[in-house]
Amino acid sequence: MLEIVVKLVLVAGAFAVLPLLVGQAEHKVMAHMQGRLGPMYAGGFHGWAQLVADGVKFAQKEDVVPRDADRWVFKLAPGVAIVPYLLVLLVVPVGPGGQVALDLGPGVFFALAVMGVGVIGAIMAGWASANKYSLLGGMRVAAQLMSYELPMVFAASSVAMAAGTLSLQGVVEEWRWWWLPWQAVGGVVFFVAGLAELRRPPFDMPVADSEIIFGPYTEYGGLRFALFILAEYAGIVVLCALTTVLFLGGWKGPFLNTELGWLWTLLKVAVLAFCVIWLRVSYPRMREDQLQKLAWAWLVPLSLAQLALTGVLRVAL
């Protein structure tokens, strides 16, 4: 019982801290890449107070519910958006020897299914806001979920087939260095599809401020809006962690896997999170037709080809 409690506390602590670190890193990286002054000087030393200032700003804003909104769904949506990512962290192994809160047999599909539930929070927000721009943003979220869930599942299935198990812990134990070139296409498809599900730039059509204000979050303010932003950063942590476990060997590093396995996992997650921020700064927003074409004309065929290649090599070897 004590071991279970300790693991749950550690997972809750990671869920509370890591998304905030990603948010602070995004402020700093974007400030350096785009020459932004605020995040570099807020509070003095290297802009350490920027995240604190954002938190105070959200806490001070008035919490308003539109008169014609579906009040219960409107209030419930932020929780539905953020809680699933906490559940996914329960099955993500950070090191060898049982360093995982819950080692589920079908851990791969559990993680993907629960991540899909998180997207429903944005759909609920768009539907319940009684705002045509919010509704349009919610419909775009639904369209992206339908388009990008398929290649994401195919890519993850390729790794599960190669490892011969659906357990995330088992996938890392079976992983070998030569899987990097073998599963590289699947890794890229998985990562890109995950970014699209999180509505991260350049896949942020549901929150296109120049077209639909802020999509499903238009009517939200204060702490409820902050929860949606926090859910986005939590989603980044979860996506990077799953990509690390499935395609980059998880806790396996160049040396001391047993002693420093957790450190290798965190380093890989941090590098991938930097790539997420880098992509946001580097590429403009895609049009809706471009976004759908990328999914159906490129990612789905590539993920199917990766799955077929894995099947052939699995039988041959």
Side-chain angles (χ1 to χ4, degrees):
M1 180 63 70
L2 179 61
E3 180 182 359
I4 294 174
V5 171
V6 170
K7 286 183 176 181
L8 292 178
V9 170
L10 291 175
V11 170
F15 185 75
V17 173
L18 291 180
L20 296 179
L21 292 179
V22 173
Q24 179 71 356
E26 182 164 65
H27 279 113
K28 307 306 295 183
V29 171
M30 292 179 67
H32 280 290
M33 288 184 172
Q34 298 180 333
R36 299 186 177 190
L37 296 180
M40 298 303 297
Y41 295 102
F45 177 71
H46 215 260
W48 65 269
Q50 180 63 51
L51 199 64
V52 178
D54 287 341
V56 173
K57 175 185 69 174
F58 287 129
Q60 288 179 335
K61 285 186 175 181
E62 185 178 4
D63 182 19
V64 177
V65 179
R67 182 189 60 191
D68 297 328
D70 188 327
R71 299 184 66 88
W72 284 106
V73 178
F74 185 88
K75 293 179 179 180
L76 188 62
V80 175
I82 193 171
V83 170
Y85 296 119
L86 173 61
L87 299 180
V88 175
L89 286 182
L90 292 174
V91 299
V92 175
V94 296
Q99 295 183 38
V100 58
L102 182 62
D103 185 13
L104 282 181
V108 174
F109 287 149
F110 171 83
L112 296 178
V114 174
M115 282 186 67
V117 173
V119 179
I120 295 177
I123 301 174
M124 292 170 59
W127 177 262
S129 294
N131 180 303
K132 61 182 179 181
Y133 297 108
S134 298
L135 179 60
L136 182 58
M139 297 305 293
R140 287 184 175 183
V141 171
Q144 284 190 210
L145 173 63
M146 294 178 61
S147 300
Y148 283 89
E149 187 77 10
L150 195 59
M152 198 173 184
V153 171
F154 283 157
S157 300
S158 174
V159 177
M161 182 187 299
T165 177
L166 290 175
S167 167
L168 291 172
Q169 185 94 352
V171 169
V172 181
E173 291 172 354
E174 294 295 328
W175 188 89
R176 300 295 182 267
W177 67 266
W178 46 270
W179 284 25
L180 285 173
W182 177 23
Q183 299 291 334
V185 173
V188 172
V189 169
F190 184 88
F191 192 66
V192 172
L195 289 179
E197 283 205 9
L198 295 176
R199 285 90 64 201
R200 288 286 301 181
F203 307 105
D204 58 336
M205 288 304 298
V207 292
D209 50 353
S210 59
E211 303 171 22
I212 52 176
I213 308 178
F214 209 63
Y217 317 132
T218 298
E219 298 293 346
Y220 283 86
L223 292 178
R224 288 198 178 97
F225 181 81
L227 284 178
F228 279 117
I229 301 300
L230 186 61
E232 179 179 324
Y233 290 131
I236 293 173
V237 173
V238 168
L239 172 64
C240 295
L242 288 177
T243 305
T244 296
V245 169
L246 292 173
F247 298 96
L248 299 179
W251 66 75
K252 293 184 177 180
F255 54 85
L256 297 178
N257 293 336
T258 304
E259 295 81 3
L260 299 178
W262 60 272
L263 181 59
W264 298 128
T265 301
L266 290 179
L267 285 176
K268 295 173 185 178
V269 170
V271 171
L272 289 175
F274 173 79
C275 292
V276 172
I277 300 169
W278 191 1
L279 288 172
R280 173 177 182 174
V281 178
S282 302
Y283 291 95
R285 179 183 300 125
M286 303 176 70
R287 296 197 314 266
E288 188 67 24
D289 61 310
Q290 293 173 329
L291 184 139
Q292 294 295 333
K293 183 177 180 180
L294 175 65
W296 295 105
W298 290 97
L299 296 189
V300 171
L302 285 175
S303 60
L304 285 174
Q306 178 69 73
L307 191 61
L309 175 63
T310 301
V312 170
L313 293 181
R314 182 71 177 173
V315 172
L317 300 178

